[in-house]
């Protein structure tokens, strides 16, 4: 009894000691220690208790605000959940003060975190009863000289708009409008970024006001202010009834989609699917499709690129007719686009539309583009084609693809960039699944062997994994008949790394092979390798034997295995000895 | 009206080490900074000391404010060569509140510095006490260790330039800036020091086919989508960021064809040392070795005027080629009303010229005596004697947009000239 109490007191003292250390390190010279202390601010606050936290810790925190970014990020995070440590929502103002100071900082990442933490704190307050607190906060932020603080105000206003009284709401609206009309572009930009959150609240926010604000921004002469208005237009479409779209939303969209600045058009194309979802299929075909076709053939490469990435999803809103008549003619020139990243994006999206348009149409229109991209000189393009093959095969059937894909895969498999070789390995399994047992013909088995003896370990490792997948998909008997023989090729390779590959591969497929086969075929071969001159190989023999012997019950194989392991126990290398011992013990 | 500078010179020699590499005034005209060869940035505050009453011309005084060591000598392990710490360019950003922000760059790295009033507090070391209960936990007491105008390094923009950076320029929106090296121009956002966008790439596929390099770049002071860059072949390209993401081919070219007799030096002296916009953004002043060309932004076919700075310099071309001074890069700066420009030369001379080329006033700075000025008529020639000092070169200068005075850097001193009417 005594001991337990003593232990408890000791551990309390120890943890108090560590809290004391954390407190001291809040102002340590070492940045990492300061950051660590700040991360554990909650523990400190808990030890101090709510009253001391309010009266001592939080004022001390104000001293930390002039510190490095790493400390400040941790601080914003910690303060986010601090409301309990200061004694509950009634003391929220205590937390608002340091977070508000952090909103004045120049580093935008930290301001964002501080603003989010402020929102968390505000969530705990009963806004209806404590309106002066939030209104006061917003007013202080928006009256400040620093542009950054106004951005924080713009972020918070939509967040609490619905919870405050209508008098406060009109105050907030006035503040927001003055930010949008400000002379300083940075303030207009920050206000525009969050405008979408106000717009989505229509009809709580007055519709006409919101629309006139959007119209103001669309005419702004600063590119980077207009950049963010597309989000508001999407929100507007969501908030107002579809009947009004034609008269209000679409004219605004037209201005943006035809903007001479490419960045604005880019944002329109970026969000085109969000808009399509809201306005529905009919309107998409009528209004959005013309813009989209233009984007696909835009003079600016970045725009063609973003249009290609949005292709698959956008086509879901169209009829087959539209796709064939309007979209597909644009795709052919894109497949020979001068910029490789455009072609790569096309390759990722292209095949996803084939399920939608069906086999015949795919055959007539897509196959040609598909072959073009398959022969592309840029490896990323070809790789992306392979990624979309699953859907494509379902539509076109495996046989068609087999003929055309094998040469392409062969080329990718020997690409000079090892990451490309690595990515191409996954396609092997896909082939196996699609084509079945007749799969591993000469060409493909050569590719597989090349991968197993690749210079780069990551590729060999993936090849072993591939071998395992193949065995799983095609079955043990197939593996026994076709695969294992080929793996043995490396057994006597002069390079020890490849001899080890044999062992890794055997380990990987062991569970798919029959016990009989293992006993008669595999174990004798593996035991032969125990006489290898490289200790690494001998060690892996032991490991492999472990895996193999658990799969077989054959007595003579067991005997052979155990004898080999006993021999290895007396090996010159200590690692070999150790592993053999472990294996023997476990058997 | 006639613009006439009298020499109200103030010479600062003590603080400056090595030659001054760049001079920059803030847009608000309140601060001046110098960057020197040793990687230091020195800041002066411009305070109005007199005048302001009606009829009286305001006078200004330059007070030393602070300095900071911006860059250190570095080493490039890939190329096994040193990276000099000397500053190649400085740019002020708009101040926020009482805080000053400035970008400095050496050959490879750009840094963002903040100069602000700060108090550095450190905890008072107290004796270690063992903690028995919560009551013993105490907040550290802090004392002020340092206070005053302190510089802090806010951001370092990584080495994204393969070649040496020759200029940086901040957009009028204060959010973006461009940096240019010999072959590329990159667009950065002040907040993001991880990535930049490449907007101009002059690198040919075959490096042996290299014909021209970029000599300087600048954002328009008025329009934050427009920037220019100048090349060694004597052309200026004006590009719009809104038109396309890669501005290699979509720029407007300002170039005058080669006319007149060609000699060995023609190509070398056609290289543009510095090109900058006038203060109102409507003209481009481009300085090549012997002349300044004034272009109207709206008319790229032919320059508005071509002003020969100092004809006699052509007689010294051979000497200048021998001591490599022919590759010197002279700055050109615009007056606040965009009607005048100033640029430097050798022998401690600098010229103030009006944009029509009608008025060309030459000033000769001397450390011991009063500055001599004289007006040069259009077709002017004189024989240069032996005491024409080629080592006294004025490369860098800047025109204060608020106080209308010119700051000139010569060797290891700098001079301020205030206008008098």
């Amino acid at each position: 009894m005594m001991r337990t109490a003593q232990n408890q007191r000791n551990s309390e003292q120890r943890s108090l000691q560590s809290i004391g250390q954390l407190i001291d390190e809040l102002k340590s010279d070492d940045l990492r220690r300061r950051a660590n202390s700040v991360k554990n601010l909650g523990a400190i606050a808990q030890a101090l208790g709510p009253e001391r936290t309010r009266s001592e810790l939080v004022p001390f925190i104000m001293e930390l605000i002039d510190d490095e970014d790493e400390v400040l990020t941790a601080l914003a995070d910690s303060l986010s959940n601090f409301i309990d440590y200061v004694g509950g929502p009634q003391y929220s103002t205590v937390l608002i003060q340091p977070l508000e100071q952090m909103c004045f900082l120049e580093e935008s990442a930290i301001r964002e975190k501080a603003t989010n933490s402020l929102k968390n704190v505000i969530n705990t307050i009963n806004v209806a009863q404590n309106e002066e607190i939030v209104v006061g906060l917003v007013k202080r932020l928006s009256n400040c000289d620093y542009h950054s603080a106004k951005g924080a105000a713009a972020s918070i206003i939509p967040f609490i708009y619905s919870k405050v009284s209508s008098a406060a709401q009109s105050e907030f609206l006035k503040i927001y409008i003055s930010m949008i009309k400000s002379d300083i572009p940075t303030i207009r930009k920050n206000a525009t970024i969050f405008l979408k959150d106000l717009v989505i609240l229509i009809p709580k926010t007055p519709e006409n006001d919101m629309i006139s604000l959007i119209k103001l921004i669309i005419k702004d002469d600063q590119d980077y202010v207009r950049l963010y208005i597309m989000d508001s237009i999407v929100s507007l479409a969501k908030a107002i009834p579809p009947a009004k779209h034609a008269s209000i939303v679409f004219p605004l969209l037209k201005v943006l989609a035809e903007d001479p600045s490419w960045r604005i058009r880019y944002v329109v194309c970026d969000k085109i699917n969000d808009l399509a979802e809201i306005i529905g299929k009919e309107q998409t075909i009528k209004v959005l499709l013309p813009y989209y076709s233009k984007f696909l053939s835009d003079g600016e490469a970045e725009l063609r690129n973003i249009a290609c990435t949005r292709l698959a999803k956008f086509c879901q809103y169209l009829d087959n007719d539209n796709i064939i008549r309007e979209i597909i003619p644009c795709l052919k020139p894109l497949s020979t686009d001068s910029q490789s990243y455009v072609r790569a994006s096309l390759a990722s999206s292209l095949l996803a539309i084939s399920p939608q348009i069906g086999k015949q149409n795919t055959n007539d229109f897509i196959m040609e583009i598909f072959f073009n991209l398959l022969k592309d000189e840029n490896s990323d393009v070809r790789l992306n084609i392979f990624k979309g093959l699953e859907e494509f095969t379902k539509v076109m059937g495996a046989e068609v693809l087999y003929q055309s894909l094998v040469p392409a895969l062969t080329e990718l498999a020997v690409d000079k960039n090892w990451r490309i070789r690595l990515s191409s390995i996954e396609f092997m399994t896909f082939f196996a699944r699609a084509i079945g047992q007749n799969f591993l013909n000469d060409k493909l088995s050569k590719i597989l062997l090349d991968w197993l003896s690749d210079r780069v370990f990551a590729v060999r490792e993936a090849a072993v994994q591939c071998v395992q997948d193949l065995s799983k998909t095609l079955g043990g008997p197939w593996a026994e008949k076709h695969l294992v023989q080929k793996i043995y090729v490396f057994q006597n390779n002069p390079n020890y790394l490849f001899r080890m590959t044999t062992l890794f591969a055997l380990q990987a497929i062991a569970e798919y092979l029959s016990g009989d086969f293992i006993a008669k075929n595999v174990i004798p071969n593996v035991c032969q390798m125990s006489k290898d001159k490289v200790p690494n190989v001998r060690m892996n023999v032991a490991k492999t034997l472990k895996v193999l012997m658990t799969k077989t019950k054959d007595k003579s194989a067991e005997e052979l295995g155990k004898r080999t392991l006993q021999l290895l126990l007396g090996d010159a290398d200590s690692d070999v000895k150790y592993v053999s011992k472990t294996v023997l013990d476990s058997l | 009206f006639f613009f006439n500078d009298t020499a109200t010179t103030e010479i600062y020699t003590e603080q400056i080490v090595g030659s001054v590499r760049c001079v920059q005034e803030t847009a608000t005209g309140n601060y001046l900074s110098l960057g020197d060869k040793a990687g230091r940035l020195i800041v002066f505050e411009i305070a109005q000391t007199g005048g302001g009453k009606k009829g009286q011309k305001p006078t200004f005084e330059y007070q030393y404010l602070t300095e900071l060591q911006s860059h250190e000598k570095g080493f490039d392990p890939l190329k096994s060569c040193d990276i000099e710490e000397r500053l190649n360019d400085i740019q002020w950003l708009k101040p926020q509140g009482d805080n000053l922000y400035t970008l400095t760059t050496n050959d490879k790295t750009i840094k963002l510095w903040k100069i602000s009033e700060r108090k550095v507090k450190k905890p008072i070391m107290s004796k270690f006490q063992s903690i028995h209960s919560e009551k013993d936990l105490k907040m550290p007491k802090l004392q002020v260790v340092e206070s005053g105008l302190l510089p802090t390094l806010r951001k370092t923009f990584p080495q994204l330039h393969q070649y040496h950076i020759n200029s940086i320029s901040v957009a009028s929106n204060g959010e973006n800036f461009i940096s240019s090296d010999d072959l590329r121009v990159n667009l950065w956002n002040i907040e993001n020091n991880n990535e930049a966008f490449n907007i101009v790439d002059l690198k040919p596929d075959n490096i042996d086919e290299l014909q021209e390099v970029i000599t300087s770049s600048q954002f328009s002071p008025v329009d934050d989508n427009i920037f220019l860059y100048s090349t060694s072949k004597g052309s200026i390209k004006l590009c719009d960021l809104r038109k396309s993401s890669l501005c290699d081919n979509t720029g407007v070219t300002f170039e005058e064809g080669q006319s007149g007799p060609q000699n060995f030096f023609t190509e070398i002296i056609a290289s543009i040392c510095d090109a900058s916009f006038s203060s109102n953004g409507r003209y481009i002043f481009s300085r090549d070795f012997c002349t300044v060309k004034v272009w109207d932004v709206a008319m790229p076919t032919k320059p508005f005027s071509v002003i020969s700075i100092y004809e006699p310099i052509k007689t010294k071309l051979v000497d200048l080629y021998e001591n490599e001074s022919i590759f010197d890069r002279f700055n050109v700066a615009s007056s606040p009303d965009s009607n005048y420009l100033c640029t430097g030369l050798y022998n401690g001379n600098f010229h103030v010229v009006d944009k029509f080329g009608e008025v060309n006033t030459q000033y000769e700075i001397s450390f011991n005596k009063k500055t001599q000025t004289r007006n040069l008529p259009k077709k002017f020639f004189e024989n240069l004697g032996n005491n024409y000092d080629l080592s006294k070169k004025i490369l860098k200068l800047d025109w204060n947009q608020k106080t209308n005075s010119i700051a000139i850097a010569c060797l290891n001193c700098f001079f301020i000239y205030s206008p008098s009417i």
Side-chain angles (χ1 to χ4, degrees):
Chain A
M1 265 313 251
M2 269 280 280
R3 193 110 58 100
T4 331
Q6 181 78 349
N7 278 345
Q8 210 175 18
R9 233 197 356 260
N10 276 345
S11 62
E12 266 176 30
Q13 266 188 325
R14 267 200 300 276
S15 63
L16 275 180
Q17 201 73 19
S18 55
I19 300 274
Q21 196 177 7
L22 281 176
I23 295 182
D24 280 333
E25 286 181 349
L26 276 174
K27 268 294 183 180
S28 153
D29 282 333
D30 186 351
L31 171 64
R32 272 194 306 242
R33 285 186 206 264
R34 290 203 302 272
N36 183 45
S37 293
V38 170
K39 280 201 191 92
N40 293 309
L41 217 55
I44 300 178
Q46 203 169 29
L48 286 176
E51 223 203 281
R52 281 190 74 190
T53 302
R54 289 197 302 273
S55 56
E56 291 177 47
L57 183 60
V58 176
F60 190 79
I61 285 175
M62 302 296 286
E63 300 290 345
L64 296 175
I65 294 189
D66 179 31
D67 203 328
E68 301 278 331
D69 294 347
E70 205 181 313
V71 176
L72 291 171
T73 324
L75 183 61
D77 277 334
S78 296
L79 288 179
S80 179
N81 298 315
F82 231 57
I83 196 75
D84 289 327
Y85 295 127
V86 292
Q90 62 267 42
Y91 296 110
S92 58
T93 38
V94 168
L95 282 185
I96 289 185
Q97 203 193 1
L99 286 173
E100 194 180 321
Q101 283 302 311
M102 290 174 73
C103 286
F104 296 152
L105 295 171
E106 60 228 5
E107 184 66 41
S108 60
I110 299 186
R111 279 203 312 272
E112 251 183 75
K113 269 199 183 274
T115 319
N116 285 338
S117 300
L118 263 177
K119 289 184 188 167
N120 267 354
V121 172
I122 293 178
N123 259 342
T124 64
I125 312 177
N126 184 333
V127 177
Q129 289 172 354
N130 292 305
E131 204 171 272
E132 338 73 60
I133 301 182
V134 292
V135 173
L137 168 68
V138 169
K139 278 208 182 131
R140 283 193 305 274
L141 286 175
S142 59
N143 280 337
C144 171
D145 265 338
Y146 290 115
H147 310 161
S148 40
K150 298 207 201 225
S155 167
I156 294 178
I157 287 181
F159 181 71
I160 50 175
Y161 190 85
S162 355
K163 300 186 197 165
V164 296
S165 68
S166 54
Q169 280 180 347
S170 48
E171 271 279 359
F172 283 169
L173 261 186
K174 259 202 256 151
I175 295 177
Y176 213 92
I177 292 177
S178 73
M179 282 197 279
I180 297 240
K181 291 190 179 164
S182 160
D183 280 331
I184 300 171
T186 322
I187 299 182
R188 294 203 301 272
K189 175 185 96 154
N190 285 330
T192 313
I193 293 177
F194 298 106
L195 185 60
K196 64 181 187 342
D197 295 325
L198 263 187
V199 169
I200 199 81
L201 294 174
I202 295 179
K204 287 202 202 109
T205 43
E207 186 178 315
N208 288 331
D209 281 340
M210 293 293 110
I211 295 178
S212 55
L213 282 183
I214 295 182
K215 285 195 178 146
L216 255 175
I217 301 273
I218 278 197
K219 289 201 289 248
D220 197 295
D221 53 355
Q222 291 287 353
D223 245 19
Y224 67 85
V225 175
R226 295 207 307 284
L227 219 51
Y228 300 100
I229 201 64
M230 180 65 185
D231 280 333
S232 300
I233 292 189
V234 174
S235 297
L236 185 65
K238 227 193 247 181
I240 61 176
K244 289 195 192 173
H245 284 171
S247 53
I248 302 186
V249 178
F250 298 152
L252 296 172
L253 181 68
K254 183 173 155 77
V255 174
L256 284 187
E258 295 174 356
D259 195 294
S261 173
W262 68 270
R263 284 201 174 90
I264 310 290
R265 299 200 301 275
Y266 183 97
V267 178
V268 174
C269 191
D270 193 26
K271 310 273 172 172
I272 205 165
N273 285 328
D274 297 336
L275 196 55
E277 172 118 24
I278 299 172
I279 62 177
K281 195 163 164 174
E282 199 190 312
Q283 294 296 336
T284 302
I285 296 178
K286 198 164 121 197
V287 178
L288 293 183
L289 182 57
Y291 296 136
Y292 186 76
S293 320
K294 278 209 213 106
F295 291 151
L296 278 176
S297 26
D298 194 285
E300 168 59 47
E302 290 284 340
L303 215 41
R304 298 196 295 275
N305 185 33
I306 189 74
C308 284
T309 54
R310 301 284 179 255
L311 179 67
K313 199 141 182 275
F314 189 68
C315 287
Q316 288 173 359
Y317 299 107
L318 306 175
D319 289 326
N320 283 353
D321 219 22
N322 306 116
I323 300 183
I324 296 175
R325 256 183 314 126
E326 306 246 4
I327 304 280
I328 295 202
C330 303
L331 298 185
K332 186 130 179 288
L334 282 174
S335 69
T336 48
D337 194 287
S338 55
Q339 296 296 329
S340 62
Y341 62 91
V342 177
R343 301 197 302 273
S345 300
L346 177 64
S348 342
S349 312
L350 178 71
L351 303 179
I353 56 179
S354 61
Q356 195 176 343
I357 59 176
K359 181 162 178 172
Q360 186 58 40
N361 287 327
T362 308
N363 212 354
D364 295 338
F365 301 113
I366 304 276
M367 288 305 278
E368 198 187 335
I369 306 176
F370 167 68
F371 285 126
N372 267 348
L373 291 173
L374 209 55
K375 288 183 278 169
D376 198 287
E377 55 177 11
N378 183 303
S379 328
D380 281 320
V381 178
R382 288 177 279 149
L383 212 53
N384 284 347
I385 279 278
F386 273 94
K387 288 185 185 153
L389 276 182
E390 190 91 43
E391 290 291 319
F392 200 52
T393 329
K394 284 201 197 123
V395 175
M396 296 304 295
E399 288 310 311
V400 174
L401 300 180
Y402 188 67
Q403 303 298 328
S404 43
L405 288 176
V406 172
L409 187 61
T410 321
E411 260 191 69
L412 276 178
V414 299
D415 195 287
K416 20 182 199 31
N417 185 338
W418 68 267
R419 290 181 210 269
I420 305 265
R421 297 201 294 275
L422 185 60
S423 311
S424 62
I425 294 184
E426 7 177 307
F427 303 130
M428 187 66 101
T429 355
F430 159 76
F431 267 127
R433 259 181 290 136
I435 295 172
Q437 296 269 349
N438 302 320
F439 158 69
L440 200 64
N441 72 357
D442 294 321
K443 285 215 196 87
L444 287 176
S445 60
K446 178 164 185 316
I447 299 177
L448 191 57
L449 293 181
D450 281 338
W451 281 333
L452 282 171
S453 54
D454 196 284
R455 290 190 330 266
V456 176
F457 174 71
V459 179
R460 291 200 300 275
E461 196 182 19
V464 167
Q465 179 68 37
C466 174
V467 163
Q468 187 180 45
D469 289 337
L470 284 180
S471 311
K472 187 158 143 203
T473 320
L474 300 177
W478 175 90
E480 286 169 20
K481 224 180 353 175
H482 293 113
L483 198 53
V484 180
Q485 240 5 75
K486 304 204 157 59
I487 297 180
Y488 285 150
V489 169
F490 296 111
Q491 220 175 344
N492 298 314
N493 192 294
N495 187 334
Y496 84 97
L497 290 168
F498 301 143
R499 298 202 290 276
M500 290 210 300
T501 309
T502 315
L503 293 171
F504 293 145
L506 288 172
Q507 276 179 38
I509 62 173
E511 64 180 276
Y512 303 111
L513 303 174
S514 66
D516 228 16
F517 183 77
I518 292 182
K520 294 220 178 55
N521 192 315
V522 184
I523 292 192
N525 265 310
V526 172
C527 291
Q528 255 198 322
M529 290 176 80
S530 68
K531 303 197 181 55
D532 198 290
K533 42 185 184 21
V534 176
N536 219 332
V537 180
R538 298 199 295 272
M539 187 171 78
N540 277 297
V541 164
K543 287 193 187 157
T544 314
L545 278 176
K546 175 168 177 197
V547 175
L548 292 175
M549 285 171 70
T550 50
K551 296 269 185 272
T552 181
K553 295 196 176 51
D554 186 289
K555 277 290 177 223
S556 56
E558 267 190 47
E559 278 300 311
L560 180 57
K562 282 210 178 123
R563 250 184 300 140
T564 316
L565 285 168
Q566 300 277 14
L567 272 171
L568 289 178
L569 264 183
D571 195 279
D573 185 283
S574 53
D575 280 324
V576 179
K577 275 199 284 216
Y578 175 75
V579 175
S580 318
K581 185 161 185 311
T582 335
V583 172
L584 270 176
D585 288 341
S586 71
L587 285 175
Chain B
F1 65 96
F2 213 84
F3 187 73
N4 201 344
D5 273 358
T6 59
T8 318
T9 63
E10 293 155 76
I11 306 171
Y12 297 85
T13 44
E14 313 99 32
Q15 291 107 355
I16 304 175
V17 163
S19 59
V20 177
R21 295 273 319 178
C22 31
V23 181
Q24 177 83 46
E25 313 245 9
T26 57
T28 53
N30 291 335
Y31 297 93
L32 164 79
S33 66
L34 307 170
D36 74 357
K37 206 164 88 170
R40 286 188 319 158
L41 181 74
I42 306 159
V43 182
F44 290 83
E45 182 173 4
I46 303 166
Q48 186 167 347
T49 49
K53 287 204 271 258
K54 201 168 167 193
Q56 248 190 338
K57 201 172 54 66
T59 57
F60 296 93
E61 198 179 271
Y62 284 71
Q63 296 164 336
Y64 170 82
L65 192 64
T66 183
E67 69 181 54
L68 54 99
Q69 182 70 37
S70 171
H71 285 74
E72 303 277 335
K73 205 176 186 92
F75 185 73
D76 183 345
L78 227 53
K79 298 201 184 109
S80 284
C81 63
D82 285 327
I83 302 178
E84 300 280 322
E85 71 270 33
R86 62 162 189 241
L87 295 181
N88 288 339
D89 208 355
I90 329 173
Q91 280 276 292
W92 284 104
L93 297 162
K94 289 200 193 80
Q96 284 204 43
D98 287 328
N99 302 328
L100 301 174
Y101 294 91
T102 177
L103 284 171
T104 59
T105 181
N106 67 354
D107 282 336
K108 292 282 185 181
T109 314
I110 308 168
K111 293 189 181 177
L112 174 67
W113 290 92
K114 167 175 153 186
I115 302 171
S116 57
E117 279 284 345
R118 276 178 66 212
K119 289 197 179 56
V120 178
K121 294 189 182 159
K122 288 250 162 24
I124 301 174
M125 282 298 146
S126 58
K127 271 199 318 230
F128 175 76
Q129 48 176 170
S130 60
I131 299 177
H132 295 283
S133 76
E134 287 91 11
K135 286 200 284 289
D136 293 332
L137 295 172
K138 286 210 199 333
M139 292 285 124
K141 286 208 190 30
L142 298 177
Q143 61 181 11
V144 177
V145 163
E146 236 184 302
S147 86
L149 215 56
L150 297 171
T152 17
L153 177 61
R154 292 302 305 163
K155 278 208 168 61
T156 307
F157 296 90
Q159 300 191 6
L160 279 186
H161 279 277
Q162 219 179 343
Y163 308 98
H164 291 184
I165 300 178
N166 50 45
S167 42
I168 50 177
S169 170
V170 180
S172 55
N173 63 18
E175 286 214 5
N176 299 319
F177 67 94
I178 50 175
S179 60
S180 60
D181 65 18
D182 288 332
L183 288 178
R184 298 197 173 97
V185 180
N186 290 342
L187 174 71
W188 302 79
N189 184 307
I190 286 273
E191 302 259 333
N192 187 342
N193 60 347
N194 290 322
E195 329 174 281
F197 290 100
N198 174 247
I199 47 178
V200 174
D201 190 343
L202 290 189
K203 188 168 181 196
D205 286 326
N206 187 353
I207 199 76
D208 297 325
E209 290 171 16
L210 189 61
Q211 298 256 356
E212 61 185 321
V213 293
I214 300 176
T215 50
S216 77
S217 63
Q218 197 193 49
F219 256 118
S220 160
V222 166
D223 206 334
D224 60 0
N225 295 308
I226 311 251
F227 71 98
L228 63 78
Y229 66 93
S230 60
T231 72
S232 57
K233 271 204 148 175
S235 65
I236 303 168
K237 296 249 174 41
L238 188 71
C239 307
D240 188 332
L241 286 172
R242 290 168 302 191
K243 236 170 150 184
S244 59
S245 59
L246 202 58
C247 301
D248 288 358
N249 303 318
T250 54
V252 178
T253 310
F254 294 75
E255 193 172 31
E256 207 188 13
Q258 297 282 15
S259 61
Q262 308 248 350
N263 61 31
F264 178 68
F265 301 111
T266 319
E267 251 192 73
I268 304 178
I269 59 175
S271 166
I272 298 185
C273 312
D274 184 31
S276 73
F277 283 97
S278 66
S279 312
N280 59 11
R282 288 176 43 204
Y283 298 100
I284 298 175
F285 300 132
S286 94
R287 166 88 156 102
D288 52 59
F289 197 75
C290 297
T291 70
V292 170
K293 297 198 174 88
V294 179
W295 299 84
D296 184 329
V297 165
M299 191 169 80
T301 45
K302 146 173 126 70
F304 182 75
S305 61
V306 179
I307 308 161
S308 178
I309 297 289
Y310 189 61
E311 274 292 322
I313 196 73
K314 289 192 182 156
T315 59
K316 289 276 182 181
L317 283 180
V318 180
D319 292 330
L320 291 165
Y321 183 75
E322 304 264 296
N323 65 10
E324 306 231 323
S325 298
I326 203 168
F327 300 107
D328 282 335
R329 299 224 172 142
F330 294 96
N331 261 17
V332 63
S334 155
S335 68
D337 60 4
S338 298
N339 287 327
Y340 292 87
L341 57 98
C342 66
T343 187
L345 206 60
Y346 298 102
N347 202 31
N349 289 341
F350 73 94
H351 292 244
V352 176
V353 187
D354 81 318
K355 67 174 188 264
F356 298 99
E358 304 285 325
V359 181
N360 184 342
T361 312
Q362 181 190 64
Y363 298 79
E364 181 176 333
I365 296 182
S366 161
F367 296 98
N368 306 320
K369 42 193 169 81
K370 202 160 147 38
T371 303
Q372 306 189 327
T373 77
R374 54 182 178 160
N375 286 330
L376 305 179
K378 255 193 167 165
K379 297 260 187 249
F380 173 78
F381 193 80
E382 69 179 354
N383 278 322
L384 295 177
N386 283 341
N387 52 1
Y388 189 77
D389 191 345
L390 288 179
S391 63
K392 255 169 116 186
K393 43 181 117 166
I394 295 182
L395 295 174
K396 308 284 176 179
L397 35 72
D398 201 13
W399 203 315
N400 190 315
Q401 302 294 309
K402 187 168 135 199
T403 64
N404 208 14
S405 49
I406 307 178
I408 318 263
C410 181
L411 295 178
N412 63 346
C413 306
F414 92 95
F415 300 81
I416 317 277
Y417 284 83
S418 311
S420 77
I421 296 297

